[in-house]
Amino acid sequence: MFKLFLSAPRTWCLKYFISVLVLFLSIHAVSNLALAAASEAHLKGKFGPLHDWPIIPLSMMLMPDGRVFAYGTDTDGNQGAKLHYVIWNPPAGTGAEAFKVLPNTTNTDTFCAGQALIPNTGHALIVGGDAVVNNKRNYANNDVNIFDPTTDTLIRQTKSMAFKRWYATAVTLPNGEHAVLGGRDDKFLEGVTEDTYSSTPEVRSINGSWRVLSSATSSIAYGELGGASWYYPRAWVNPQGNLFILAHNGAMFKLDTRGTGTLTKYATKTSSSRTILPSVMYAPGRILSIRRDRSAVIVNINGTGEPVLSSAGLLAKDHQHGSATVLADGQVWVNGGSSTGNTLDGRVLESELWNPKTNRWTVAASATTARLYHSTSLLLPDGTVFTGGGGAPGPLKQLNGEIYYPPYLFKTDESGQLAFRPEIIDAPTTVIGWNQSFSIESDESITRVTLVRVGAATHTFDHETRFFNLPISQTGKIVTVKSPRTAKVAPPGFYLLFVWNAEGVPSVAKIIQIG
Ligand SMILES: [Cu+2]
């Protein structure tokens, strides 16, 4: 009975089963091929090839002419910027011919200095840095140096800071001056002294003189407390024109830089972070800050009262020593780092994108190599992000970089091909005021205009960058937009101006000056 039941139908069954299996496998193979061909670049972006760098670019600034000014090590990747600095011209590519290695003749070691652009000249201001005492490194200096991109020279200034600063932050103020905060003043001398920190800020006027904010001294805001808040203090100009300071331990302050300075501590406190986790101003008065245990918080400092906190969810990975970069579309890209500090064990190659509209994180493209301590990321005028460096010290001497191509640069048809980009035909070449209307002409119909302040990045922190959507009242090849309302919202200086077409693809930016 059993045999009878199985014999003929079984043969038929087996044949049927095999043909279905063959059909299934072939469909599966075809769809697999299709899957292999489908690119996710329009969703996750893509990294370009690893390329060499003449130094480890542990400090980088985008200059008004679109070139990158970088410094940090010698040409063997050893600690110390006393010998060289580098100019990279991104439109010339990533070959040796795109780089200029220039001698530093200032006698200042700018290793781990503070930096910001000077708004009226477009020169780079570099404050403090490293010093060698008794043949030991990691002491501090109070030197002030200025890089002039029209002559590519770095000149030591006669007026030095009142305090030595190693790991200070220099913030451009609404009136074009610079506030310099934090840094270590002196280092432990065996059996003689303890480490001391520059817990008193100072302001550099436009004529180069320095004013000490003697009534605003604080160990928590920018000294040895506050979770080592001397370590590149996280500071931005808030929409009221004061400095907002977010200590690594979560304490928050307002610094009025007028006169000898007035520091006010907010009652509001956020969770603890690390000195080696990034924060970035992604919209006017809004900061995305990465805290401990992969958490992220939004700090809204637009009101005149206490800062308002809200959650920005959890990242997929712990990016200690990673960077956060605001992209041309206002999304924030976090890359690099490690879950184990400056070691390769927990290195994170996957980058992540945060969309401020949805408050969601998505895992984006993976890099080729680790970016740990002394790595940096910088948004370039073509809408890509350069990320490079790491080391001095660290497990790898990263005399190299990679370029990240964000999703907006790709066709959405899954081909992985770069999309056609609109071009800016005409944009202002003279200085634009605040709340001022101006016209932009493109070769395509413009549907969106964005503005990103040129970056100054080092040690996981780009305090200069900030993002704006400029509302446009009509679409067309010529649109009129209005610059940001005030210098408090958009400090004077240089901004990348991107126009977007209907497909959501940005132009290469024109760099405009607001002042
Ligand atoms: Cu450093």
Side-chain angles (χ1 to χ4, degrees), residues 58-59 79 111-113 138 166-167 231-232 373-374 391-393 458-459:
L58 67 88
S59 297
Q79 170 174 347
F111 180 77
C112 307
N138 301 349
W166 188 70
Y167 281 68
Y231 186 116
Y232 288 103
Y373 188 35
H374 288 157
T458 190
H459 294 77

Side-chain angles (χ1 to χ4, degrees), residues 1 20 83-84 122 145 189 229 254 465 515:
M1 170 81 179
V20 167
L83 297 177
H84 299 108
N145 286 281
L189 270 173
S229 52
K254 176 174 79 175
T465 193

Side-chain angles (χ1 to χ4, degrees), residues 396-471:
L396 300 171
K397 266 188 194 178
Q398 295 286 45
L399 289 155
N400 58 54
E402 293 173 70
I403 292 174
Y404 175 68
Y405 296 78
Y408 49 61
L409 293 176
F410 294 92
K411 289 182 181 173
T412 54
D413 62 2
E414 303 187 347
S415 66
Q417 290 173 344
L418 290 167
F420 295 107
R421 306 182 71 166
E423 223 178 283
I424 296 178
I425 293 171
D426 197 26
T429 51
T430 53
V431 183
I432 298 164
W434 290 274
N435 203 29
Q436 185 185 321
S437 293
F438 64 94
S439 296
I440 312 162
E441 184 180 355
S442 172
D443 62 340
E444 280 190 67
S445 189
I446 301 172
T447 58
R448 189 183 184 196
V449 177
T450 59
L451 206 57
V452 189
R453 185 173 173 84
V454 298
T458 190
H459 294 77
T460 80
F461 185 40
D462 183 343
H463 59 286
E464 279 285 274
T465 193
R466 44 179 74 200
F467 174 86
F468 301 86
N469 261 313
L470 297 185

